[in-house]
Amino acid sequence: MAAEIRVFPCLSDNFGYLIHDPQSLKTAAIDAPEAGPIMKVLQREVWKLTDILVTHHHADHVGGIAELKKTYGCKVTAPHDQGTAIPEVDVRVAEGDIVQVGALTARVFETPGHTLDHICYVFDSELALFSADTLFSGGCGRVFEGTYPMMWQSLKKLRTLPDDYRVYCGHEYTAANMKFCLGIDANNEALKNRADEVAQLRAVGKPTIPVLLGLEKKTNVFLRADDPAIAAAVRLKGFSEDDVFGELRERKNKS
């Protein structure tokens, strides 16, 4: 039986996610931006929260953990870096570890850059990548704790997944990211089509997520820092892919 995934808003622009295994009736939240919206969806679906899978320590991803743990007694799985402020952790995981949610299996990818402890969860049977604040639709996270080369390597790691995997990212930043990408890659027909789709979805209050990773590979300039056309567009023809990625991220920081 296929997993059931629910997508819903939290805080001002975070996504909340629940993934439910119909076989075991176990349910995991991917991060916990705030407890209220997560509990509301659980009540609507008549699901019990058994797990919280944390991607990194930022407050807008862990703020609801304590209340959810108190209410449901759920298990909290988090990155292995014990120096970060993540409450109520039961299990620490690192690159290559496997996380079970009933019959569902997630692989752990370490993706440092946005933070040093950042991890992503990949549910291969569901073709689902929960990328949090490493990869957004049309963008990537700000580099707060790592370096630009580190973040670029993390994005390349995610880029190796097959095109038919769906990306579930941490924030609804897609419209702004489309505007930025079009400023770099204005003649990209796939990007123009995606920007139109995003505008239509947001106009009626619908989320822009999930999105196919294959489409991201075609339209997200941050996944294409090794593309000579992108290097030329930012006037860094012949420079290293690290330099190109750094220039893209610097431009986005100022946009």
Side-chain angles (χ1 to χ4, degrees):
M1 298 173 66
E4 297 182 54
I5 298 175
R6 299 291 180 266
V7 182
F8 48 93
C10 288
L11 300 174
S12 61
D13 55 31
N14 281 69
F15 283 117
Y17 296 113
L18 291 172
I19 183 167
H20 176 74
D21 172 30
Q23 180 177 328
S24 66
L25 303 182
K26 290 192 173 183
T27 305
I30 312 298
D31 287 330
E34 57 178 333
I38 294 172
M39 295 171 75
K40 184 177 179 179
V41 176
L42 288 165
Q43 290 164 5
R44 184 189 74 205
E45 301 293 344
V46 196
W47 294 345
K48 180 183 177 183
L49 189 68
T50 57
D51 293 85
I52 301 174
L53 309 184
V54 183
T55 63
H56 65 294
H57 67 271
H58 281 167
D60 63 328
H61 290 257
V62 303
I65 291 176
E67 184 176 349
L68 292 168
K69 177 107 177 184
K70 182 179 179 180
T71 302
Y72 298 102
C74 49
K75 180 172 70 175
V76 178
T77 299
H80 66 87
D81 183 353
Q82 298 187 32
T84 57
I86 301 174
E88 306 286 350
V89 176
D90 298 298
V91 179
R92 299 277 181 176
V93 292
E95 177 76 23
D97 285 343
I98 299 296
V99 177
Q100 291 290 143
V101 180
L104 306 176
T105 298
R107 290 188 290 153
V108 175
F109 282 25
E110 289 186 11
T111 54
H114 178 68
T115 63
L116 293 178
D117 68 329
H118 200 294
I119 60 177
C120 299
Y121 296 92
V122 178
F123 288 81
D124 292 293
S125 64
E126 307 309 314
L127 307 180
L129 162 62
F130 291 92
S131 60
D133 289 5
T134 296
L135 173 64
F136 299 129
S137 182
C140 71
R142 282 182 179 266
V143 179
F144 289 119
E145 297 179 7
T147 64
Y148 289 149
M150 184 185 291
M151 186 65 152
W152 171 233
Q153 290 302 315
S154 292
L155 289 169
K156 286 204 294 184
K157 181 186 291 187
L158 298 183
R159 193 178 67 176
T160 64
L161 291 167
D163 289 355
D164 58 350
Y165 277 49
R166 294 182 299 275
V167 177
Y168 297 86
C169 60
H171 293 270
E172 182 59 273
Y173 292 161
T174 314
N177 289 340
M178 291 295 102
K179 182 178 178 181
F180 177 79
C181 287
L182 284 167
I184 303 294
D185 196 19
N187 296 320
N188 184 330
E189 289 299 323
L191 173 56
K192 288 189 280 188
N193 291 337
R194 171 63 172 157
D196 288 343
E197 176 193 40
V198 167
Q200 292 170 18
L201 289 168
R202 297 310 296 150
V204 294
K206 291 184 178 181
T208 61
I209 296 301
V211 59
L212 287 174
L213 183 58
L215 182 58
E216 287 300 304
K217 293 176 188 179
K218 294 176 182 177
T219 59
N220 187 334
V221 297
F222 292 98
L223 289 177
R224 297 169 57 212
D226 53 354
D227 183 338
I230 299 300
V234 295
R235 300 181 180 179
L236 289 179
K237 183 178 179 180
F239 282 69
S240 73
E241 55 197 61
D242 286 339
D243 289 333
V244 174
F245 176 79
E247 175 65 16
L248 289 167
R249 189 58 254 182
E250 284 289 332
R251 290 189 182 199
K252 187 64 171 70
N253 292 346
K254 299 170 184 174
S255 67

